[in-house]
Each structure stands twice: as C-alpha cells, then as structure tokens.
Amino acid sequence: MLGTSQPPGDTPVEPHAPGPFDRTRPRAFVAVAVAIATNLGSVGVARGQVWATEPGLVGALLLLVAPAALLFLLPRRPALATVLTVAATVTFLLLGRPWGPVFLGPIAVLAGVMLSGEVRRARRIAWSGAALFAGAVGAVAALIAPRIERLVADLPPSRHEKWGPGSGWGHGGGAWFLNIEAMIAGAAWIAVVLLIASAARDRIARRTAARAAARATAAERERTAVASERLRIARELHDVLAHSLSAINVQAGVGLHLLEKNPGQAREALSNIRDTSKDALAEVRTVLGIVREGTTPPPGTLPADAAPLTPTWDLSGLRHLADQARADGLDVTVDLAPGIGDLPDHVAGVVHRVVQESLTNVRRHAPSARRVALRVTRDESVEVVVADDGVQAVPSGEPTEPGYGLLGMRERVEGSGGTLHAGPRPDGAGWEVRATLPLAARAEPTRQDSAEQTDTRPEPGETT
C-alpha cells in the first residue's frame, strides 16, 4: 500500500501504535483552523467566481461538518467522519457555493484519519475516503459544468475556446478548475497529502517505539543491577553468617560438654564464641555498608572502631580463619606463597571467601576431619587448595543438591574468570576444593561441565 513501505532495519510500526490525532488537543487546533479558513476563504473566493453564490448560513453549517467530524468522531468513528465530510462537501458544491477552500475540510479529515486510530484500519479508510472524495468531486464537476457554461457564456472569451467536459474547460468567470487537468492535479495533491501523513505516522510511531524500547531497556538494566546487587549482598551475608555461626555452634557444643567437667576449657569456649560473634558483627556491618556505598554517615553515628563501609581485603586474614578453625579442634596447616600480599582486590576477596566457605563446610559436613591443608600459590594465576581428611558419608537416594555456599563460591570464582572444582580428593582420603583465578582484569563468567557444576560433598542432609 502507498506510504507503508519501510527501509530495511527500521523499527517496524506497531499496528496499534497511537497516532498524534488520537489526542484531543491537536484535533481541536486543526478543527478551529479549518473552520476559520474554509468560512472566510469561501466568502472571499465567491467574489471571483461569478457563477457561485456566497456560502450563507446553510453553507457555513455545511463547512462546519468537517471540523466537527474531525473533533468529535475521530479516532473512534473514522469511516463515519469521512462519509459525512464528503457528503457535506458535495452538497455545498451542488448548491452552487464557491469551490476552493471547501476542500480543506475533507483533506484535513482524511489526514486526521491517517494520523489516528489503528494503523492498518486508518490507512484503509483514508485511501478509500480519498477515492470516494475524488470521484464525488469529479461527478459534481460533470453535473454543474453545463450550468456554469451558460452563466459564463456572456463573459469575454478566454484563450480556451472549447467548453464542456472535454479537455480545455474555460478559465473565464473563475471556472478554471473545472478542466480535467485541474481535476487530475487535485487528486494528485490529495494523494501527496495522504502520503505525507502516512510517512509522518510511520516516523512518529518509530520514534515512540524507540523511546518505549529505551525505557524498557533502562528498566531491565535497572532490574538487573538491583538483582546483581542483591545477589552480591546475599553471598556476602551467607559467607559471613555461615562461617561465624558454624564456629559458634561448635564452640557452644564444646562449652556445654565441658561446663561441669572442665570449667576452664568451657570458659575458653565461651571466650571463643564472644570473639567470633564480635568478628561476625564487624563483618556484617562491612557487608551492609555495601548497600550504603557512596554515602557518608553523619559524624558521630558510628563508633571509632566501626568496620569500613566498603569491603577491604587483606590475605593476612587467612591465618585468622585458620586460627578459628584450630579453636574448633582442627589441625590446619597454612602454606602461602610469597607475593600473594599484593594481589588485586577482587582476586584477594575471592580467595578469602573460598577459604572461609571451605573451612565452614569442613566444620559442618566433615565432623570426622582432623587435618586441613590450606595452600595458596601464585604463578600466572592464583591457585587456592583447601583439602581435609574427613571420611565421606555414603550417599543414599538421589544426589544431594548443591547448597547456597557452594553455589556462591562458584559464582565468585567464575565471575572472576576462574574455575572451581569441589569433590573427593584424588587419593580418596577426604574432600578437596581447588580454585584457579587469573590475575588479569575480571572476565565474563565461564560455564563448567554439568557434572562439575553439581559436584558436592555426598553426605546425608542438606549442604550449605
């Protein structure tokens, strides 16, 4: 259909995309302009068309049909608006009123139909209305031509000597537009107006769709950022609470067991619980500070020894994690390669969390473990190995699903472009967590083999 083709790659126009004339304000503006132009214009041109009479009251009412249809019938009743406007225009012409400005009304209505309502329906009605309008005007011209010929017979001859519906209707008496060439030219101008209106509708619809797509993309980006931040905070809180509460649970069990038999060791267990809970509170405060990142608390609202509001990583904390595990009865050996103290922040943070979660899992899921080996080496990449000597529990039923701890650890490692393997040691004596991290900038997450993704310590009950 004319005016509907689009260059390749353009945003397609939605069939239900709103048009500019769906709003009342632009239709009201055009309707008032058309009403003033057609009435004043018809009065003016009537003086130059000696065979025509001035519009009068009836003519003025007929000229107001198009503005009224434009204002009150669009966009709900486009076909009715088109038919009423064409009928009023034909009646106006058959009554002998002047030609010219009266055509502004139908053209404005046809353009309004093209610029309002559902796109395909609007184009179909607009082009059908244009054909109806052109045919009706041609029929009226053929009907009134003999009468106009008689009226202008006494006028001075024009350069065109032939009258009637043949080629060359006279230009005298203001009837120059009653020739076939003028009719064809008028029909062509109507087509041009509709093509322009259709192109404008397409352009406006594409811009509207582009803005809607941009808003949707921005909203999706915001939702993704919020989800990522929530996931990051959830991982941090899980790592802190799971590690600390696991240590507190073990120490509390020791304290209850020794409370009557050995009060001194029970007191030491309670002291460990106090220290662990203090460290956990400080680290939780640090993690929650991520939420307020970029803000500065009012002076005096935080104690002098408050944890920083953004995470800071120091791999000397690995020895502190080992000391906490030793307090729970584990024999932890630490082997830190030279040069790991200047690791990039994001790598140091992942190393810390991998060691922390691995030691937590040893305490929770390997009660028979007595020795744990912690090794961190650095070459072109950083390798973290945490291995214990716990006896594997025999799985019953379906394989255990990975818990939040292992999933969070894998997300951290893969989010830094590294790889993670968690499973039985090669010699079968215990469990091993091995993470390899590149020293370069953080890369996109990589996906491991599905078997490795679900590799968890087989044991009854839930995993962390």
Side-chain angles (χ1 to χ4, degrees):
M1 184 176 293
L2 292 174
T4 62
S5 61
Q6 299 176 4
D10 283 1
T11 304
V13 179
E14 293 292 336
H16 300 287
F21 273 29
D22 286 334
R23 300 189 300 272
T24 303
R25 181 177 297 179
R27 296 203 315 273
F29 176 80
V30 175
V32 171
V34 168
I36 295 174
T38 53
N39 279 276
L40 295 181
S42 296
V43 171
V45 301
R47 300 173 183 176
Q49 298 177 8
V50 297
W51 46 267
T53 59
E54 292 190 357
L57 178 60
V58 175
L61 293 177
L62 291 173
L63 291 174
L64 291 177
V65 171
L70 188 66
L71 183 59
F72 298 111
L73 295 181
L74 295 183
R76 296 184 302 275
R77 300 287 186 272
L80 180 60
T82 302
V83 172
L84 288 179
T85 302
V86 172
T89 303
V90 170
T91 303
F92 183 89
L93 297 177
L94 289 175
L95 292 177
R97 295 328 193 248
W99 289 47
V102 65
F103 298 134
L104 289 176
I107 293 175
V109 170
L110 291 174
V113 170
M114 184 69 77
L115 295 173
S116 64
E118 194 268 331
V119 175
R120 295 190 183 95
R121 180 168 176 258
R123 285 177 174 145
R124 184 171 60 252
I125 294 176
W127 287 108
S128 300
L132 175 65
F133 176 53
V137 171
V140 170
L143 287 174
I144 67 174
R147 182 169 63 88
I148 295 177
E149 182 181 356
R150 291 193 297 270
L151 289 175
V152 299
D154 296 332
L155 294 176
S158 67
R159 54 179 179 157
H160 293 279
E161 299 178 356
K162 233 176 159 185
W163 290 84
S167 60
W169 287 16
H171 287 218
W176 58 270
F177 47 81
L178 292 180
N179 59 55
I180 292 179
E181 292 86 349
M183 293 295 169
I184 295 175
W189 275 112
I190 294 174
V192 169
V193 170
L194 291 185
L195 287 172
I196 294 175
S198 179
R201 178 77 185 268
D202 288 349
R203 181 178 178 83
I204 293 172
R206 284 194 295 269
R207 293 178 61 183
T208 302
R211 287 194 295 267
R215 288 193 297 268
T217 302
E220 181 62 27
R221 188 182 300 114
E222 181 178 356
R223 286 193 296 269
T224 302
V226 171
S228 299
E229 186 67 10
R230 290 176 62 183
L231 180 61
R232 182 164 71 112
I233 295 172
R235 284 199 302 260
E236 296 287 348
L237 288 176
H238 173 274
D239 290 347
V240 173
L241 295 179
H243 175 78
S244 302
L245 292 180
S246 175
I248 290 172
N249 179 65
V250 172
Q251 292 293 331
V254 172
L256 287 175
H257 180 69
L258 299 175
L259 184 60
E260 295 181 357
K261 298 180 181 180
N262 193 336
Q265 290 188 8
R267 186 180 299 108
E268 182 181 354
L270 291 176
S271 177
N272 291 332
I273 290 175
R274 180 195 61 193
D275 295 339
T276 302
S277 60
K278 180 180 179 180
D279 293 341
L281 287 174
E283 196 163 0
V284 167
R285 185 182 301 170
T286 299
V287 173
L288 293 180
I290 299 173
V291 183
R292 299 185 296 168
E293 188 174 0
T295 63
T296 303
T301 57
L302 293 178
D305 60 347
L309 294 183
T310 55
T312 57
W313 303 107
D314 183 0
L315 288 187
S316 62
L318 297 182
R319 298 190 182 278
H320 179 64
L321 295 176
D323 291 339
Q324 288 181 332
R326 292 189 185 102
D328 296 336
L330 292 173
D331 180 13
V332 182
T333 60
V334 180
D335 180 12
L336 302 180
I340 66 167
D342 59 349
L343 292 179
D345 287 344
H346 73 276
V347 176
V350 175
V351 170
H352 182 95
R353 289 307 190 199
V354 168
V355 173
Q356 185 182 53
E357 181 62 24
S358 299
L359 293 177
T360 299
N361 284 342
V362 171
R363 285 196 293 265
R364 294 188 61 187
H365 306 304
S368 63
R370 291 295 176 265
R371 290 186 299 275
V372 178
L374 167 60
R375 184 175 73 254
V376 181
T377 58
R378 174 177 179 175
D379 190 7
E380 295 181 356
S381 60
V382 177
E383 184 178 65
V384 184
V385 179
V386 181
D388 64 75
D389 62 348
V391 179
Q392 302 180 44
V394 179
S396 61
E398 297 181 357
T400 305
E401 291 294 329
Y404 292 120
L406 182 60
L407 290 176
M409 186 161 49
R410 189 177 299 280
E411 288 171 355
R412 289 180 188 277
V413 172
E414 294 179 353
S416 296
T419 58
L420 176 73
H421 171 77
R425 295 172 61 177
D427 56 8
W431 191 265
E432 181 181 86
V433 175
R434 183 183 299 271
T436 304
L437 301 167
L439 292 175
R442 187 175 307 183
E444 292 295 324
T446 58
R447 307 305 300 170
Q448 302 300 312
D449 185 80
S450 59
E452 185 179 353
Q453 287 287 340
T454 59
D455 190 11
T456 59
R457 179 188 299 271
E459 50 125 7
E462 294 183 350
T463 60
T464 181

